[in-house]
Amino acid sequence: MYIKRLELSNFKSFGGTTPIPLLPGFTVVSGPNGSGKSNLIDALLFCLGLAGSKGMRAERLPDLVNHTQISRNRSAVEASVTVTFDLSDEPELLEDVIERQVNGASPALPDSKVENGAAQNGSASNGSANGAAHSNGHSESNGHPENGNGQRSHRSSEWSVTRRLRVTQQGTYTSNYYINGEPCTLTELHEELNRLRVYPEGYNVVLQGTSLELSR
């Protein structure tokens, strides 16, 4: 499992929408001071709900919205971050996530890609409540959706989290989380991240100046 992609929209120094691909293994982000390297870590903390605003070097959450966007817009402005995980190298973990989604225990997975034609007759699409693709009335079996010919469809190995922060000119704001496009609470998000071994109190992200004491 690894983070495959970050997508920042109007977050801190990143105006507009900026996709940032990350390769499996070891990825280095380099650049001069003030170029936004640390803001990528802040975006990760923001999206996964792993820290408060102070942990993201901001006095308040509204400070995370790109200042250029605030000055240009008279109405509400929005910042968002999406973190996409690739679970293809952990099939058991992926199957567990699929099983929980099929049983309604977690927000929907990405759409299933149905072979030999589009989903029909009450099919679920675009991250609907049960996330299952059906064709011609066929339902899921053993956690795997089937198409009209009884063949298994291909389910994406990606798992994404999105957080949107909407700020009004009066300074009030709302913050919402989504798993694969489906709304969820912060508690639900942390429960799902816990299954991926990502913990708010853990050292999944080690910030500058943080010292680690390893026990023997």
Side-chain angles (χ1 to χ4, degrees):
M1 181 190 74
Y2 68 98
I3 294 176
K4 183 176 183 178
R5 183 172 56 256
L6 288 175
E7 185 171 288
L8 292 73
S9 180
N10 300 328
F11 183 85
K12 298 192 82 170
S13 61
F14 292 87
T17 299
T18 306
I20 302 173
L22 300 174
L23 301 177
F26 191 77
T27 299
V28 175
V29 179
S30 63
N33 291 339
S35 60
K37 302 186 300 296
S38 297
N39 289 345
L40 298 181
I41 300 299
D42 292 341
L44 190 63
L45 295 171
F46 167 77
C47 183
L48 302 183
L50 300 180
S53 60
K54 294 297 180 63
M56 293 174 276
R57 301 174 302 131
E59 288 297 321
R60 301 173 60 244
L61 283 178
D63 296 335
L64 299 175
V65 180
N66 182 267
H67 293 294
T68 302
Q69 301 301 318
I70 294 178
S71 60
R72 287 179 179 176
N73 293 275
R74 297 180 180 276
S75 57
V77 292
E78 184 178 282
S80 67
V81 176
T82 297
V83 177
T84 302
F85 293 83
D86 189 307
L87 306 181
S88 59
D89 60 346
E90 297 200 39
E92 292 184 1
L93 181 59
L94 179 60
E95 285 298 320
D96 176 65
V97 174
I98 292 174
E99 181 80 18
R100 285 172 49 76
Q101 180 269 314
V102 169
N103 293 329
S106 63
L109 285 166
D111 296 342
S112 297
K113 179 181 178 182
V114 180
E115 297 174 344
N116 301 326
Q120 300 174 355
N121 296 336
S123 62
S125 62
N126 298 326
S128 61
N130 60 11
H134 304 284
S135 178
N136 299 326
H138 288 270
S139 59
E140 301 220 32
S141 175
N142 298 324
H144 297 279
E146 296 181 353
N147 61 21
N149 296 324
Q151 297 176 332
R152 287 183 178 181
S153 61
H154 298 295
R155 189 181 294 277
S156 172
S157 62
E158 293 186 353
W159 188 85
S160 67
V161 176
T162 299
R163 184 179 182 182
R164 294 194 180 100
L165 177 66
R166 183 176 176 83
V167 182
T168 68
Q169 284 295 315
Q170 291 73 34
T172 60
Y173 64 88
T174 57
S175 177
N176 298 288
Y177 292 89
Y178 304 83
I179 295 179
N180 294 318
E182 292 292 322
C184 70
T185 65
L186 179 57
T187 298
E188 290 171 337
L189 172 60
H190 282 171
E191 288 175 352
E192 295 304 311
L193 289 175
N194 184 74
R195 297 177 185 279
L196 302 180
R197 300 182 293 278
V198 178
Y199 312 106
E201 70 280 3
Y203 288 109
N204 304 110
V205 179
V206 181
L207 301 177
Q208 184 177 5
T210 301
S211 60
L212 298 180
E213 181 176 344
L214 302 179
S215 59
R216 296 182 179 178

